[in-house]
């Protein structure tokens, strides 16, 4: 089956620093990747959609200058949380679709970000 | 994409069938019903999807009513590891963006 990995699985950082989260599709080429955020006891909220080689499309209310998304290759997308603050602490999850399973989304295991 | 309505929580005895309902009364003709589940602190896992016919795979069965306004996910023999939040999502399978919009889901607690 299609496998999506995320790195790191957990990260703790100081307020004001930037954090980069990687999302990789391990056994298929992901033409589209999605980034979600999930607060405790809440559902997943879509942040942005990124297509390989083009700019990401952000959902309403998501600051594109704060959450930088790069999808430079068909197997890697990165989310950088710039100048992180405690309210950015959340569970960040990516998903990927592409190849033979164009319409299916395969999710990564998530990254737990804690900003002190 | 159409909205869905699910009960916030359900219990099920281990070994029994778990039947999770979902209402999607505003679904349009070209929208599919997808089910995902999320075990605590993990990414969502795809379970099954369908358009109008009932579907079955190794994980579950999906029963869609004839008018397509509701569906039921059936886990035939629930185990403790099936405890999770189950999300019913309606989306266009051929959507250019392929976005999945998650509702609040149903928290299924499988009890010994």
């Amino acid at each position: 089956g299609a496998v999506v990995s995320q790195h790191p699985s957990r990260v703790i950082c100081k307020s004001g620093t930037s954090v980069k989260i990687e999302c990789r599709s391990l056994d298929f080429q992901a033409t589209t990747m999605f980034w979600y955020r999930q607060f405790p006891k809440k559902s997943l909220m879509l942040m942005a959609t990124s297509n390989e080689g083009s700019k990401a499309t952000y959902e309403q209310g998501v600051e594109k200058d704060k959450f930088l998304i790069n999808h430079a290759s068909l197997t890697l997308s990165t989310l950088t949380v710039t100048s992180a603050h405690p309210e950015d602490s959340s569970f960040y999850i990516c998903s990927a679709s592409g190849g033979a399973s164009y319409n299916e989304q395969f999710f990564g295991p998530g990254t737990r970000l804690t900003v002190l | 994409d159409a909205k869905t309505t699910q009960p916030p929580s359900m219990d099920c005895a281990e070994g029994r069938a778990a039947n999770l309902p979902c209402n999607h009364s505003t679904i349009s003709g070209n929208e599919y019903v997808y089910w995902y589940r999320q075990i605590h602190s993990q990414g969502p896992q795809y379970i099954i999807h369908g358009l109008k016919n009932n579907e079955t795979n190794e994980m579950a069965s999906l029963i869609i009513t004839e008018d397509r306004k509701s569906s039921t996910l059936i886990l035939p023999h629930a185990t403790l590891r099936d405890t999770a939040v189950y999300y019913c999502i309606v989306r266009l399978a051929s959507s250019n963006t392929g976005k999945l919009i998650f509702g609040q889901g149903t928290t299924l607690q499988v009890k010994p």
Side-chain angles (χ1 to χ4, degrees), chain A residues 65-80:
Chain A
D65 294 331
K66 180 168 183 63
F67 299 99
L68 302 179
I69 292 172
N70 184 281
H71 191 169
S73 79
L74 287 172
T75 60
L76 174 64
S77 176
T78 60
L79 168 67
T80 301

Side-chain angles (χ1 to χ4, degrees), chain B residues 21-53:
Chain B
C22 179
N23 287 322
H24 31 79
S25 58
T26 59
I27 191 171
S28 60
N30 55 354
E31 288 181 314
Y32 287 67
V33 180
Y34 280 75
W35 283 84
Y36 283 79
R37 73 179 183 184
Q38 185 180 26
I39 296 171
H40 183 61
S41 294
Q42 297 182 22
Q45 176 188 23
Y46 166 82
I47 301 174
I48 199 167
H49 76 281
L51 181 63
K52 60 176 69 174
N53 297 323

